[in-house]
Amino acid sequence: MKSICRILFLCFLSFQVLASELYIGTATVDITPPLPVALMGQFHLRIARQAETPISASVVVLENRSGGQTLETSIMVSCDLVYISAGIRDGVREKVKQKLPNLDVSKIVLNATHTHTAPVLEDESDEVSFLYNIPKEGVTTPAQYKEMFTTRVSDAIVQAWRGRSPGTVTWGLERAAIAYNRRAVYKNGTTVMYGRTDTPEFQNLEGYEDHDINTLFFWNDRKKLIAMAINVPCPAQEVEGRSHLNADYWHPTREALRKKYGKDLAILAMIGAAGDQSPHPMYRKKAEERMRVLGQYDRMEDIARRIVGAVDRAYDVVKNEGVSDVKLIHKVAQLDLPQRIITRDEYFESQKVVEDTEAEIKADPRKKDQLYAKSTWFGDVMKRYELQKNNPNPTYKTEVHVIRIGDIVICTNQFELFTDFGIRIQARSKALQTFVVQLAGPGTYLATDKAVKGGGYSAVCQSNVVSPEGGQVLVDETLAMIDELWK
């Protein structure tokens, strides 16, 4: 009898050592700037004097404990921005470090929804290639917004961290057709973003369309749903051309989900690999418009309804499967990716565009608001060409995160990553589900070799800092990091 009791006691001790407990904290913060403010996402200056919706950031912090000892932490923040600048990211980490000095702030990862109706993040004081002619007075400046954003988001992270408590998590997968491949291919081999499809020259859309909706659900110890992560491979740019502040389709999506699941629900909006996808239809436009008119809903409501439907279906399947004893591992790496090489022809073409644009502005200074960004965009190609003279094989340093949560993995990149790269990662990953999250950093397009050969915006040298070969390195290195988490 004594021997049996001893065995049971040892088994209990082994369980205590091996079992881990998940702690979860959440927060949501308004990041709407004082108006007016310059908007990011088009080639011309837009000053927003009205907010059609608020913009926000949502935080989920995770901590794995065993026997009261912290094993791992991970902090994820989704933001209604066009991308995450290095200054924004570093500013948030620095401010969190001041308040939580023992926290590993490298495990803070911010991603953007890519709404084109959010504030400009950088100006001439930052080393960036895309600038606007923003007024010096009368608007919230990028520097002012950066200070406001980093303060509010860092405070939200601290709030979520200090409020963490035992909880459970599970994951789900559904499908919803949100995105369209936006690159039209023609008989002569050229490709055009948003090109016409109602012409005899049209051949096909260039790439695969990803309609998977990956989800994570988080509950507290009272079985209350407190957060969701929703991975949609489609940038939030349905209303990208407007001149008002707008969180795009994520606003009605969040409103609908909070109405059903709770007003305090934190929602991590994660954009999957979608550099060549968007919510804009490429064909059958009239049929879709007829359905919207008859149904009395707009496109934003339609997108929200599709996402919410997918989330609801996934939740109904997995809602009773929440677990607290999950493996949590968060790895961060700095990768050096091969840059796209600028040819002599590309240099001289860019030089001519810059010269012609500057001459046009000089002849009519009122055009500077419309043309300045174009000039800086092409001007960056010239700078890259000059740098190549001293370094013929340049590389681009980028930060990536790979986070294992139980059977799933979240892997991030800073780019507008073409869908094919995301599919390569998902198809080869050892995880049950793989959340590929783009725009977790300064966004530039990362196009495939097929896209570069076709040309067109998003696959020209002005759009791409990293080469297609660099994209494959990103895929392979990300997969190597994922493999390590399953050993």
Side-chain angles (χ1 to χ4, degrees), residues 166-187:
T168 58
V169 62
T170 193
W171 35 89
L173 173 65
E174 264 293 341
R175 291 174 66 80
I178 308 299
Y180 300 81
N181 185 284
R182 53 179 166 172
R183 289 174 51 84
V185 180
Y186 300 99
K187 288 181 180 178

Side-chain angles (χ1 to χ4, degrees), residues 125-419:
S125 64
D126 302 286
E127 293 185 8
V128 292
S129 61
F130 196 93
L131 295 170
Y132 293 95
N133 184 40
I134 301 173
K136 303 299 182 185
E137 298 179 352
V139 300
T140 297
T141 66
Q144 290 169 334
Y145 184 67
K146 185 187 300 182
E147 177 61 26
M148 188 205 87
F149 176 93
T150 55
T151 298
R152 291 189 180 180
V153 171
S154 61
D155 286 347
I157 291 172
V158 172
Q159 174 192 336
W161 180 256
R162 289 175 175 167
R164 68 199 187 284
S165 62
T168 58
V169 62
T170 193
W171 35 89
L173 173 65
E174 264 293 341
R175 291 174 66 80
I178 308 299
Y180 300 81
N181 185 284
R182 53 179 166 172
R183 289 174 51 84
V185 180
Y186 300 99
K187 288 181 180 178
N188 63 3
T190 62
T191 305
V192 178
M193 180 184 283
Y194 299 130
R196 288 182 57 185
T197 58
D198 58 347
T199 169
E201 298 304 309
F202 172 71
Q203 290 290 284
N204 55 273
L205 297 178
E206 185 180 74
Y208 178 77
E209 291 175 355
D210 186 1
H211 300 310
D212 286 353
I213 308 293
N214 285 288
T215 48
L216 280 167
F217 303 99
F218 301 91
W219 293 267
N220 64 16
D221 55 359
R222 298 183 301 279
K223 306 301 183 184
K224 178 185 176 182
L225 187 68
I226 57 173
M228 294 180 180
I230 309 171
N231 187 209
V232 180
C234 183
Q237 54 187 102
E238 175 60 27
V239 295
E240 61 181 323
R242 294 185 185 177
S243 295
H244 304 305
L245 204 71
N246 197 305
D248 212 277
Y249 69 72
W250 280 108
H251 179 72
T253 300
R254 288 189 291 243
E255 291 286 290
L257 288 170
R258 286 174 179 149
K259 184 176 181 180
K260 181 168 185 177
Y261 295 102
K263 62 182 179 62
D264 297 323
L265 185 71
I267 299 171
L268 289 177
M270 297 173 164
I271 306 301
D276 50 348
Q277 297 195 153
S278 92
H280 303 313
M282 290 291 288
Y283 58 98
R284 61 175 180 268
K285 299 176 185 179
K286 292 182 179 179
E288 290 204 11
E289 182 62 23
R290 170 179 172 269
M291 294 301 291
R292 288 197 292 273
V293 171
L294 290 174
Q296 297 184 346
Y297 54 80
D298 62 25
R299 176 67 181 160
M300 296 264 274
E301 293 170 324
D302 183 37
I303 294 172
R305 184 176 61 181
R306 293 174 191 231
I307 295 172
V308 171
V311 172
D312 286 344
R313 293 191 299 274
Y315 180 79
D316 286 343
V317 172
V318 305
K319 61 186 178 184
N320 296 319
E321 200 191 36
V323 291
S324 61
D325 185 10
V326 295
K327 182 168 287 190
L328 175 67
I329 310 173
H330 186 152
K331 299 296 184 183
V332 189
Q334 302 289 331
L335 304 182
D336 290 312
L337 305 180
Q339 287 192 26
R340 179 166 172 176
I341 301 300
I342 306 300
T343 67
R344 280 178 57 85
D345 286 346
E346 289 168 340
Y347 170 81
F348 287 117
E349 288 168 5
S350 297
Q351 183 182 52
K352 186 176 188 312
V353 171
V354 171
E355 291 173 350
D356 290 349
T357 302
E358 290 178 348
E360 194 172 354
I361 293 172
K362 186 175 181 180
D364 185 355
R366 294 172 299 180
K367 293 184 178 181
K368 188 173 183 179
D369 288 353
Q370 305 299 313
L371 298 175
Y372 188 65
K374 177 182 176 181
S375 177
T376 60
W377 194 57
F378 281 91
D380 185 61
V381 173
M382 298 168 63
K383 294 176 184 176
R384 287 161 55 190
Y385 182 80
E386 293 297 331
L387 290 172
Q388 285 173 199
K389 292 179 179 178
N390 296 322
N391 182 9
N393 297 298
T395 58
Y396 182 84
K397 188 172 289 296
T398 187
E399 179 179 288
V400 298
H401 297 253
V402 173
I403 308 164
R404 178 175 178 177
I405 306 173
D407 293 335
I408 72 98
V409 72
I410 297 170
C411 54
T412 74
N413 66 87
Q414 73 167 68
F415 305 100
E416 288 189 73
L417 188 69
F418 270 44
T419 306

Side-chain angles (χ1 to χ4, degrees), residues 29-35 51 53-57 119 145 148-149 152 245:
V29 62
D30 191 314
I31 56 171
T32 306
L35 299 177
T53 77
I55 62 173
S56 63
Y145 184 67
M148 188 205 87
F149 176 93
R152 291 189 180 180
L245 204 71

